[in-house]
Amino acid sequence: MDQAEKKAAAAQAALEFVTHGIVGVGTGSTVNCFIDALAQVKDRVEGAVSSSDASTERLNALGVPLLDLNDAQPLDVYVDGADEANEHLQLIKGGGGALTREKIVAAASARFVCIVDDSKLVDVLGEFPLPVEVIPMARALVANRLVGMGGQPVWRKDFVTDNGNHILDVHNLRIVDPPTMESQINDITGVVSVGIFAQRPADVLLIAGTDGVRKILR
Ligand code: 5RP
């Protein structure tokens, strides 16, 4: 089974959790597989709240009604991928730059189902460069603070988020206490959000490997 097949298997397994109501939809290549799979059950879904312009476009093509989060709370379930996940269902997200809206939709959802292939599972978060969304004028200020915390921030040039902001990808962090680091980085003035999802971790992690899809519940 190659990585694309594993992503599709994790996405298919997530359908079990989409039983009714409104579904929150994340962003990325694994979520694209989920959106494609959603076609099989779209009759039991009232509509979707999307976390990015890219996912909105794909959901539109499928004919799933799209709702504004302000008119749709609470969401029954949120399905999204991750760049890294640990056994505590804490995540690094934001490789696709959609971390802030993803965090908002995750916070508004009763259940967060995370779908990954087994290359994403790690013991300690941080090998994947940690995305941090920043207000553009604060980019250098935030970068200096992140250096002070032991990281090496790299500006993701030629990329602007759906919210009009910039992304710093922070290398060389070994995130042994994810909830604390999430707070510390969120507290830096100029940070919009950080790609550590630990204070609101996933509730269900579906990990696709060669032997099938493993499920971890929180
Ligand atoms: C986007 C994300 C994605 O969930 C993450 O980057 C994983 O993407 P993929 O499924 O393509 O590996 O956080 O902001």
Side-chain angles (χ1 to χ4, degrees), residues 18-23 44-48 67 75-77:
V18 183
T19 52
H20 66 286
I22 301 168
V23 57
R44 64 183 192 228
V45 167
E46 270 173 57
L67 301 165
L75 296 186
D76 299 291
V77 65

Side-chain angles (χ1 to χ4, degrees), residues 7 27-31 80-83 93-99 102 120:
K7 287 181 182 196
T27 301
S29 56
T30 315
V31 165
D80 199 357
D83 300 299
K93 293 186 42 55
L99 60 156
E102 291 172 342
K120 308 286 184 69

Side-chain angles (χ1 to χ4, degrees), residues 5 17 30 36 106-107 113-114 143-144 152 197:
E5 289 168 327
F17 298 91
T30 315
D36 296 346
V113 178
C114 183
N144 284 337
Q152 279 189 329
F197 285 54

Side-chain angles (χ1 to χ4, degrees), residues 27-28 82-84 92-99 102 128-131 156 159 167 169 195:
T27 301
D83 300 299
E84 278 185 353
I92 285 185
K93 293 186 42 55
L99 60 156
E102 291 172 342
F128 187 91
L130 176 67
R156 201 183 293 181
F159 182 86
I167 297 277
D169 292 304

Side-chain angles (χ1 to χ4, degrees), residues 50-102:
S50 170
S51 64
S52 65
D53 295 345
S55 290
T56 298
E57 206 175 298
R58 208 169 178 103
L59 285 160
N60 264 329
L62 196 67
V64 175
L66 279 153
L67 301 165
D68 184 304
L69 182 61
N70 292 302
D71 303 323
Q73 290 186 61
L75 296 186
D76 299 291
V77 65
Y78 176 55
V79 180
D80 199 357
D83 300 299
E84 278 185 353
N86 66 20
E87 297 270 352
H88 305 291
L89 281 61
Q90 298 164 328
L91 315 169
I92 285 185
K93 293 186 42 55
L99 60 156
T100 300
R101 293 189 188 188
E102 291 172 342

